[in-house]
Amino acid sequence: MTTRLTKQGLKERTQEYWKEKPGFEVYINELLGRELQAISQPNGSTRVRGAGKPVHTLALTVGESFEPLLQVICVLRPRRVVLILNQFYSGTPGYDHGRELQDLIEKLPHVPDPPQDVRPEVQDVELIELKNDSPTQVFRALLDTMRKPEAQPPDGHVNVVDITGAKKSMVVGAFLYAAHSGLPITYVDFDEYDKDWGKPYGYTCRIGEIANPYEAFRLRDWEQVRRLYESYNFRSARALLGQAGNSGTSGSGILGAMSQTIDNASSGETLYDPRDINKVQRLATLFEMYEAWENGDYTQARAIADGLNPPLPDDAIPWSIVELGDVWSSAAHISNARSAADHLLNAHLDLKHGKSQPSDSLFAQPLKLLAYVRDELAKIKRLIDKNEDYRSAYLRAAGLHEFLLKARLALCWLHNALEAKPKGGSTWQSVATAFGNTERDAFASLMDESSEWKFRRALQNQEEMNVKGGNVRRSSTAPSLQSYYDNLSLDLAGAVYTDASGNKTPLFVKLRGEAIHTHLYIPRNVAEAALELVQAAVKEFETNWLEHFHPGICAQAKGKRVEASSWSRLCEICELDFLPPRLRE
């Protein structure tokens, strides 16, 4: 048997090795070192990629050929090697086959010619012979051996699974284990094969890491994105999408993974087609729109929606964004907090009071008013059902309840259903006549009132309310407030708190004040009772007041969206057809 190769050229030397079949010892003494030199040359530097950290335990699935396994051991230089073996190899028992490879591994430190940085010093070799070569047996074998104390990598080191050798069934099990455990997966490939011999030239090998599917495709992250989206945590969902990488950065999150290159191709193509990356960037923009909407910044949400190309379908945009996006106060464009606060307050008061007269206010725009009320009611329900933030839900319900009381009086004012008596006057007349040029100030003072008790008495009993420049009261032509709260858990008339002086306050109102000003916590059932109350208030407001002054207005709002699109619909809108079907459901 030939013990030395006589050819000088590496290609010819390789063919001689194939022809003479001198054994693996000749390979490590005559070929391996020169192959490693070839793949380590500057013009071939990208052929060899390590695991990014020193390797502690390297698990190898073993096939008939040892050459590529010896190459990867030299490149990764592990402290330990685990050989996953079949029961038989061409009649040879698996353990004996593994012992032969172990003997070669132990000789690798003495291989002539290899560069110093690919000379391994393996300290331990573990042989595992499988009962059968099923993926499950390989998975379990790796799971068991990687649990051992000696397999635990020290700080700064990593374990690696290589899937170059063995049958496909064994490779599948090893791949599944590595993906499950988040370990780097390596593979030896070759650029040149000899068609006559049907073998690869070792000096053209490429050794590198294969993307873990959970890392490359961020499948766990996509599952989390869906969960966050469905719980209306749009900011966190957008954060998981991250930023796409470019020539100068690796990016972050899902987009960073999508824009990475995972092979050694000179083209530098990204894992995903740029068109798919653009789809996810569009999704991120939708999350930004929904985040602004859920936070009540309808103007910013509308600006984001209007900037999307192609335009969003109607069912992707909540109705309140469409209706309120051109009138709502927003400070998204102002970075200075003090300036933002000033701008927000002034713009808000203009919408609340009317910029120059009451007819400029939100209350004079019935569709916008209704859009806000229904949107706010839906958000209160989500705070309970999705966020489990019961205190915030209660306070928001109380705020909407008071807003509706003001809205009823505002509608009366705007439709001559309030009577006014100027200060010092003795006769009741229209608000326009009574206040003249100061009508806007009088209206503003009424909208700034915060006494829930005063509002209800005025709406039910025609009691007077003091405003700037005089008094107002509900006229006999106006609707009267119905007892929508009767027999509810937080009945405004029946559920009351009586203080030491005998003063009575609706329990609903008292709890709101305590929750705002002190440490009161709100449990779910109390938050749900507040939601029940405000739902009844909205129904009474729409049917008894809004429809009275604007007949048919509620019909115009029928079917309008107050929720974000379903996840499955969002996947359709953004054409996320590259996701597995189960992640698009």
Side-chain angles (χ1 to χ4, degrees):
M1 178 181 289
T2 300
T3 58
R4 290 190 63 85
L5 301 177
T6 60
K7 304 294 184 183
Q8 294 301 309
L10 196 49
K11 186 171 186 176
E12 294 76 13
R13 201 178 183 86
T14 301
Q15 292 171 342
E16 182 183 7
Y17 171 71
W18 293 338
K19 180 179 180 181
E20 300 296 335
K21 300 180 180 178
F24 292 118
E25 286 208 26
V26 172
Y27 170 73
I28 65 173
N29 289 320
E30 300 281 330
L31 268 180
L32 179 58
R34 294 185 62 180
E35 288 175 344
L36 293 171
Q37 284 184 16
I39 65 175
S40 299
Q41 294 300 313
N43 62 355
S45 59
T46 58
R47 291 183 175 279
V48 179
R49 292 183 180 178
K53 294 180 180 179
V55 177
H56 179 65
T57 298
L58 170 64
L60 296 163
T61 53
V62 180
E64 295 283 353
S65 300
F66 290 164
E67 295 93 342
L69 305 185
L70 295 168
Q71 287 180 326
V72 79
I73 291 171
C74 289
V75 169
L76 296 184
R77 303 175 69 192
R79 292 183 182 182
R80 300 181 68 252
V81 171
V82 175
L83 302 179
I84 306 297
L85 302 159
N86 205 343
Q87 285 186 303
F88 292 97
Y89 293 85
S90 300
T92 301
Y95 192 83
D96 293 344
H97 190 68
R99 279 291 304 160
E100 183 180 0
L101 177 55
Q102 180 179 356
D103 291 342
L104 295 171
I105 293 171
E106 291 170 352
K107 294 175 181 178
L108 288 178
H110 312 294
V111 169
D113 300 325
Q116 192 60 35
D117 62 352
V118 290
R119 188 181 293 277
E121 295 283 350
V122 178
Q123 300 169 10
D124 177 42
V125 179
E126 179 183 359
L127 278 61
I128 300 175
E129 184 180 297
L130 303 171
K131 295 178 181 178
N132 60 65
D133 58 10
S134 70
T136 300
Q137 285 295 313
V138 176
F139 182 92
R140 291 180 178 178
L142 285 169
L143 194 63
D144 288 341
T145 193
M146 290 298 190
R147 287 172 174 162
K148 296 176 180 178
E150 60 267 29
Q152 305 311 305
D155 289 344
H157 289 64
V158 67
N159 291 345
V160 174
V161 175
D162 184 85
I163 59 171
T164 301
K167 298 167 66 175
K168 290 182 174 65
S169 57
M170 294 175 66
V171 168
V172 168
F175 191 91
L176 289 174
Y177 171 76
H180 160 272
S181 303
L183 297 183
I185 307 167
T186 57
Y187 182 76
V188 181
D189 205 353
F190 302 88
D191 284 341
E192 187 177 348
Y193 280 75
D194 190 293
K195 64 181 181 179
D196 295 325
W197 286 96
K199 294 177 180 287
Y201 288 100
Y203 60 87
T204 69
C205 75
R206 287 185 283 113
I207 302 173
E209 185 177 344
I210 295 176
N212 182 318
Y214 274 101
E215 292 298 320
F217 305 125
R218 293 288 181 133
L219 300 182
R220 290 190 185 99
D221 283 355
W222 274 113
E223 291 167 353
Q224 181 70 353
V225 165
R226 179 176 61 185
R227 286 194 293 269
L228 289 169
Y229 175 80
E230 290 176 342
S231 64
Y232 282 65
N233 191 343
F234 303 116
R235 177 176 297 181
S236 296
R238 185 159 60 96
L240 272 181
L241 294 183
Q243 298 288 332
N246 53 43
S247 56
T249 64
S250 59
S252 63
I254 288 172
L255 281 165
M258 293 179 72
S259 57
Q260 68 179 316
T261 55
I262 63 169
D263 54 36
N264 298 330
S266 59
S267 63
E269 289 186 324
T270 56
L271 177 61
Y272 282 80
D273 188 285
R275 289 171 294 185
D276 289 332
I277 295 173
N278 290 338
K279 292 173 185 178
V280 179
Q281 290 172 325
R282 179 175 170 86
L283 178 67
T285 304
L286 259 70
F287 286 171
E288 186 180 2
M289 178 195 77
Y290 283 132
E291 180 187 348
W293 161 67
E294 188 70 353
N295 287 333
D297 193 345
Y298 302 110
T299 297
Q300 176 67 1
R302 174 71 176 272
I304 295 169
D306 289 347
L308 282 167
N309 188 27
L312 291 172
D314 291 344
D315 66 330
I317 309 174
W319 180 40
S320 55
I321 294 177
V322 178
E323 281 295 331
L324 301 172
D326 59 346
V327 298
W328 215 253
S329 56
S330 174
H333 59 291
I334 303 174
S335 58
N336 180 273
R338 173 61 184 274
S339 299
D342 285 340
H343 175 81
L344 274 176
L345 180 59
N346 291 330
H348 166 75
L349 292 177
D350 281 347
L351 188 60
K352 177 183 175 183
H353 301 155
K355 189 165 187 177
S356 60
Q357 54 192 355
S359 58
D360 297 331
S361 72
L362 175 65
F363 306 103
Q365 304 173 70
L367 267 181
K368 296 183 186 302
L369 177 60
L370 184 56
Y372 171 73
V373 169
R374 290 193 176 179
D375 193 64
E376 192 69 7
L377 185 64
K379 287 174 179 173
I380 295 166
K381 191 173 189 307
R382 287 197 292 272
L383 281 171
I384 297 173
D385 294 341
K386 295 186 178 295
N387 298 57
E388 298 183 343
D389 187 352
Y390 307 129
R391 188 170 184 271
S392 295
Y394 189 94
L395 292 176
R396 205 151 181 170
L400 179 57
H401 188 265
E402 181 181 312
F403 176 86
L404 291 170
L405 293 173
K406 291 183 180 183
R408 291 178 178 95
L409 282 171
L411 288 171
C412 290
W413 187 299
L414 292 162
H415 293 86
N416 296 317
L418 280 186
E419 298 173 333
K421 183 168 60 176
K423 189 173 183 179
S426 58
T427 60
W428 291 94
Q429 49 198 282
S430 70
V431 291
T433 302
F435 300 120
N437 293 335
T438 65
E439 182 186 352
R440 194 260 187 188
D441 293 339
F443 179 78
S445 67
L446 180 62
M447 294 299 99
D448 288 341
E449 176 60 61
S450 59
S451 172
E452 185 267 354
W453 174 74
K454 289 182 180 179
F455 285 134
R456 283 199 297 118
R457 286 170 64 89
L459 290 166
Q460 284 181 320
N461 306 322
Q462 286 188 278
E463 292 199 14
E464 299 178 25
M465 289 190 70
N466 181 258
V467 298
K468 186 175 182 179
N471 286 9
V472 295
R473 69 181 183 188
R474 183 174 58 85
S475 74
S476 58
T477 61
S480 63
L481 187 67
Q482 303 299 303
S483 300
Y484 55 83
Y485 42 78
D486 280 351
N487 300 316
L488 298 182
S489 297
L490 293 177
D491 187 329
L492 297 177
V496 297
Y497 167 78
T498 306
D499 65 17
S501 302
N503 299 314
K504 294 184 177 182
T505 306
L507 190 57
F508 174 67
V509 177
K510 181 64 176 176
L511 284 174
R512 178 201 184 188
E514 292 299 315
I516 291 174
H517 300 296
T518 68
H519 50 271
L520 178 67
Y521 107 100
I522 301 292
R524 181 178 184 119
N525 59 346
V526 175
E528 288 175 335
L531 174 62
E532 180 186 39
L533 175 66
V534 79
Q535 285 173 330
V538 168
K539 183 176 180 181
E540 196 275 345
F541 170 73
E542 289 185 11
T543 57
N544 196 40
W545 299 83
L546 203 55
E547 277 291 323
H548 175 82
F549 293 114
H550 299 280
I553 193 68
C554 292
Q556 295 181 47
K558 185 177 180 179
K560 297 296 186 181
R561 175 171 291 278
V562 294
E563 309 284 350
S565 296
S566 68
W567 173 254
S568 59
R569 175 59 179 146
L570 200 66
C571 289
E572 292 177 4
I573 292 168
C574 293
E575 299 179 317
L576 305 182
D577 47 9
F578 55 83
L579 287 178
R582 66 179 181 83
L583 288 179
R584 288 183 269 132
E585 296 172 351

